Amino acid sequence: MTTGPVVWDPSTLPTDDNVNPYAFSVALNGRWFLQKGKMVAYYGNITFHPIGYGPLDSLISTSFHSPTHVGDWVVAEGQGHMILADRAYDVNSYDLEQGNLTVRAGNLLAFAPTLALKQSIIPGFLTLIGSGKFVAASNGPVHFVEPPIRVDPQALVGWADCPSPCHHYDHAYMRGVLGGVRRLTGIGGASGEEHQYEFVGAGQVLLQSTEVLMNELVAVEPGHTVPAQSAQANLGALGRQLGF
Amino acid sequence: MQGSRVLAVDLAGDSVKARNGSMVAYDGQMTFKRMSGGGEGLRGLVTRRITGEKMTVMEVQGKGTCWFAERATEINLVRLTGERLHVEASNLLCTEATLRTGTEFTGLRGASEGHGLFTTKVEGQGWAAVTSDGPAVILRVAPGLPLRVDPGAYIAHTGNLKQSFRTDVTWRAVVGETGGESFQIEFEGDGLVYVQPSERRTFAGDA
């Protein structure tokens, strides 16, 4: 390495853009929603509030509608630069304009409060509606494909503008005597690709380049007792761990 | 450097200190000698044993090129000219023989990371290679420009920095509602902080 590494400070840090493919800088002036544990460093005067924080009530009522994920999210408030990153995965920002986009809950890092977060009817996915910027992570670069398409559930990052996917099970392969043996014993059978999500209609489907799901961090650490109220919040994490 | 995950070191009779087992290939003539206690002598050995800032190091000496890598983590080169680099022992891959290493007390921060109360310091003139999960982001800290870092993402810093442990744990945390980013290390002073785009599992949780 002949040139020195780049040194960042608040005057050189990009405004709402990537620092490198794995880190994203948000120039905060006001409020942003943030998934817990995705902030790695910040300059300036920023405080982090849980979703249940009283003064945020009006914001929450307009922008956050996901009861099962309440425990996973915080609101960053103040002025300064925040650096977001997620387990050294590729991080990208997307601008949404009067659109809707659904993304795997664990892949969504942060979003501007001009967007409204809703819970998808597919467990473990969150839908963003409105206009604004959000930041999402993927294991490897994201590929955009257009429906009709069938995708592997684990490679799915999210989808935009299309109707919700349906589950496609490769039944033909599991049919008949041979198929029965395959299904019951797993011998010579399961290719591992029997379960697929099927997308039809107009829109875009976002895929990551791996089928390895991110190892989700569990919001409550071992050794801490789980307060009753967050048991529901953990459903989101549980769902993700089950691979939904 | 070969890519960013393999470090190539050309040696001409001199030596480098590297983490045990991090050599992936070499050509020419090399000898690998294990150095107990991080090559810091008996006192260093004992200190490391006590402090838990374990570091198994080998001395590589010879002529040729030696390639080092560690679990496909990104390697960041840090040039030291007399200043001091503070780095987690688990993130230190390789140092030039001209650099001295030692242990240092860090206080509460280390404990919160599950890394123990101590960190490793590297001093002198030369190159040090530091690993990170994903390429490190280097952030400048200047007077009046403090930086707060998630303990799980911190890997190293150089310069004259004062670090303090910052919490905003309030009564809400007690009832189970936390801001999720309650534990931070605050850096003040003048220097550079290396942050990885990933978080270790920490004792303090997803802090």
Side-chain angles (χ1 to χ4, degrees), chain A residues 104 122-123 125 148-157 159 164-169 193-200 205 207 243-244:
Chain A
R104 189 182 291 278
I122 317 273
F125 283 84
I149 188 172
R150 288 180 188 153
V151 302
D152 188 289
Q154 291 175 318
L156 181 65
V157 173
W159 61 92
S164 292
C166 43
H167 196 248
H168 176 87
Y169 184 72
E193 306 286 3
E194 289 81 26
H195 291 275
Q196 297 146 6
Y197 284 162
E198 182 163 340
F199 288 88
V200 288
V205 180
L207 299 176
F244 288 127

Side-chain angles (χ1 to χ4, degrees), chain A residues 1 5-10 13 19-23 34-53 70 73-75 83-89 216-222 224 227 229-230 241, chain B residues 1 5 74-77 127 133-142 145-151 153-154 166 168 172 174-184 191-192 194-207:
Chain A
M1 223 187 249
V6 190
V7 175
W8 302 97
D9 62 36
L13 271 175
V19 179
N20 65 31
Y22 312 96
L34 195 66
Q35 188 153 175
K36 272 187 192 174
K38 310 298 186 199
M39 189 279 298
V40 293
Y42 70 90
Y43 287 107
N45 190 15
I46 301 177
T47 51
F48 300 91
H49 298 298
I51 295 296
Y53 182 56
V70 161
W73 287 83
V74 293
V75 176
I83 294 169
L84 309 177
D86 188 15
R87 286 155 282 170
Y89 283 79
E216 286 301 331
L217 299 165
V218 182
V220 176
E221 293 300 300
H224 290 232
Q229 60 185 38
S230 70
Q241 285 195 326
Chain B
M1 285 289 253
R5 301 184 178 198
E74 296 283 332
I75 296 166
N76 308 276
L77 284 177
W127 289 97
D133 186 12
V137 177
I138 307 165
L139 296 166
R140 184 184 301 285
V141 176
L145 193 69
L147 174 74
R148 289 172 197 116
V149 177
D150 194 294
Y154 163 82
R166 212 182 101 107
D168 27 78
R172 282 192 301 274
V174 182
V175 294
E177 283 236 311
T178 65
E181 306 282 4
S182 317
F183 299 92
Q184 293 140 10
L192 302 176
Y194 292 73
V195 176
Q196 64 182 5
S198 164
E199 299 192 356
R200 288 183 286 260
R201 278 252 193 183
T202 61
F203 165 73
D206 278 344

Side-chain angles (χ1 to χ4, degrees), chain B residues 33-132:
Chain B
K33 193 173 87 186
R34 186 190 158 128
M35 303 171 86
S36 302
E40 291 152 17
L42 190 60
R43 191 163 158 271
L45 174 83
V46 173
T47 325
R48 285 199 180 269
R49 270 290 152 77
I50 295 171
T51 57
E53 187 80 0
K54 276 197 229 73
M55 192 168 77
T56 342
V57 176
M58 58 187 179
E59 186 184 38
V60 186
Q61 193 167 25
K63 279 190 173 55
T65 308
C66 193
W67 287 272
F68 299 100
E70 167 96 6
R71 284 191 297 156
T73 49
E74 296 283 332
I75 296 166
N76 308 276
L77 284 177
V78 182
R79 173 104 191 128
L80 293 179
T81 47
E83 73 261 52
R84 185 183 281 189
L85 170 77
H86 304 259
V87 59
E88 295 298 329
S90 53
N91 288 102
L92 187 63
L93 177 72
C94 182
T95 57
E96 271 192 89
T98 47
L99 294 172
R100 288 182 308 279
T101 54
T103 40
E104 185 196 41
F105 184 71
T106 58
L108 200 53
R109 175 184 66 74
S112 74
E113 292 174 24
H115 265 237
L117 292 165
F118 299 87
T119 191
T120 296
K121 62 173 193 272
V122 181
E123 292 173 293
Q125 308 248 344
W127 289 97
V130 175
T131 60
S132 62

Side-chain angles (χ1 to χ4, degrees), chain A residues 171-196:
Chain A
H171 212 62
Y173 186 61
M174 289 295 185
R175 211 165 45 192
V177 179
L178 214 56
V181 173
R182 284 188 191 124
R183 192 175 65 225
L184 291 174
T185 64
I187 295 172
S191 66
E193 306 286 3
E194 289 81 26
H195 291 275
Q196 297 146 6

Side-chain angles (χ1 to χ4, degrees), chain A residues 68-69 72 104-106 119 122-125 153-154 197 213-214 216-219 231-244:
Chain A
T68 55
H69 295 281
D72 300 338
R104 189 182 291 278
Q119 201 168 308
I122 317 273
F125 283 84
Q154 291 175 318
Y197 284 162
L213 275 186
M214 299 195 212
E216 286 301 331
L217 299 165
V218 182
Q232 195 196 18
N234 280 327
L235 270 180
L238 182 69
R240 277 172 288 159
Q241 285 195 326
L242 292 175
F244 288 127

